[in-house]
Amino acid sequence: MARQALVIGLGQFGMSLARALAKNGSEVMAVDIEETHINEVAPYVADAVLMDAMDEEALTGLAPGRRDVCVCAIGDDNRESSIVVTALLKQLGAPQIIARATDDLHARILSLVGADQVINPEKNYGERLAVRLSWHHVVNILPLGGGLVLTEIEAPESFWGRTLAELELPRRFSVTVAAVRKDTDEGMVAGVPDPRAPIRDGDILMLVSKEEHVRELTQRF
């Protein structure tokens, strides 16, 4: 059964999220106060609703308590609305609420009124971009919780032709190679790493480790 998602606020972030959720198989109801945004998203989602989500009666009619996830993606031009809508979603029994924040104070308030998870897309992207620009060979980095990160790195030239068994990355740097993405005729395909297969130019290593350990690895090559 498809996951039921409610996305409120169709700025650049909310619009992208709603379309991506639908593309990945979720049944998405998208909500916005602007008719142009509703018309833009309508071809991609299960339902697009033109309404003010601060209207408690109208929001109740969307049955947020029966959605698997509710996202308050209202933009930074209306922080009051994002706080009120997040609080209403909580009162209406939404089981999982994700809210978009614009700064640390906004994030704290959203958590206090009921958000289960608060995100700041601009801040998060800026931090990831800084890592990519500062660390050698890094394609992407994602926090996993518990102090661990998943880091994608382009195999440096010194790895080419050598196997993971030879490189001994867990012993030398305390990093685990969770998967290797290789360029094939079908495109980039990720698979369980073969410790005996030589690393090739263009391979992407997906590493799980503490941030300081992968930073040390990237600084060495």
Side-chain angles (χ1 to χ4, degrees):
M1 182 176 178
R3 283 177 60 81
Q4 305 288 311
L6 175 64
V7 179
I8 300 172
L10 299 174
Q12 186 173 4
F13 169 69
M15 182 73 70
S16 298
L17 177 64
R19 292 178 60 171
L21 283 169
K23 183 178 180 181
N24 284 278
S26 294
E27 187 172 313
V28 179
M29 175 180 285
V31 176
D32 199 272
I33 200 170
E34 296 289 341
E35 186 174 4
T36 54
H37 294 165
I38 292 299
N39 293 338
E40 183 178 348
V41 79
Y44 305 99
V45 299
D47 199 5
V49 181
L50 178 65
M51 58 167 271
D52 182 357
M54 290 180 66
D55 182 335
E56 184 175 358
E57 183 176 353
L59 188 60
T60 301
L62 302 184
R66 296 205 299 266
R67 310 286 169 180
D68 294 299
V69 60
C70 296
V71 182
C72 181
I74 296 172
D76 55 8
D77 56 336
N78 202 335
R79 302 200 325 172
E80 178 184 352
S81 292
S82 72
I83 294 166
V84 171
V85 169
T86 299
L88 287 174
L89 289 171
K90 186 68 174 181
Q91 292 174 20
L92 294 171
Q96 182 182 15
I97 303 169
I98 299 174
R100 176 186 180 222
T102 57
D103 56 44
D104 291 342
L105 175 60
H106 190 198
R108 290 199 298 273
I109 295 173
L110 289 169
S111 295
L112 287 171
V113 299
D116 299 295
Q117 182 180 352
V118 179
I119 59 173
N120 185 328
E122 292 83 1
K123 178 182 178 181
N124 295 343
Y125 178 77
E127 291 173 348
R128 292 198 302 271
L129 180 59
V131 169
R132 290 172 56 188
L133 296 175
S134 302
W135 297 8
H136 297 163
H137 308 292
V138 170
V139 176
N140 199 9
I141 184 167
L142 297 171
L144 297 177
L148 297 177
V149 294
L150 173 66
T151 310
E152 295 182 319
I153 68 168
E154 298 174 346
E157 187 174 355
S158 59
F159 285 18
W160 301 349
R162 303 175 66 187
T163 68
L164 292 175
E166 293 172 349
L167 291 169
E168 296 185 304
L169 299 180
R171 181 187 65 79
R172 296 168 62 198
F173 298 100
S174 297
V175 303
T176 299
V177 182
V180 177
R181 287 199 292 143
K182 293 182 176 289
D183 194 5
T184 69
D185 293 338
E186 291 77 32
M188 291 296 290
V189 176
V192 176
D194 181 349
R196 297 164 297 181
I199 301 297
R200 302 183 304 179
D201 180 12
D203 285 355
I204 304 294
L205 308 184
M206 304 175 71
L207 311 176
V208 176
S209 68
K210 292 186 177 180
E211 184 175 312
E212 59 266 27
H213 294 156
V214 75
R215 182 188 295 117
E216 180 186 0
L217 185 152
T218 60
Q219 291 173 346
R220 291 278 298 274
F221 298 99

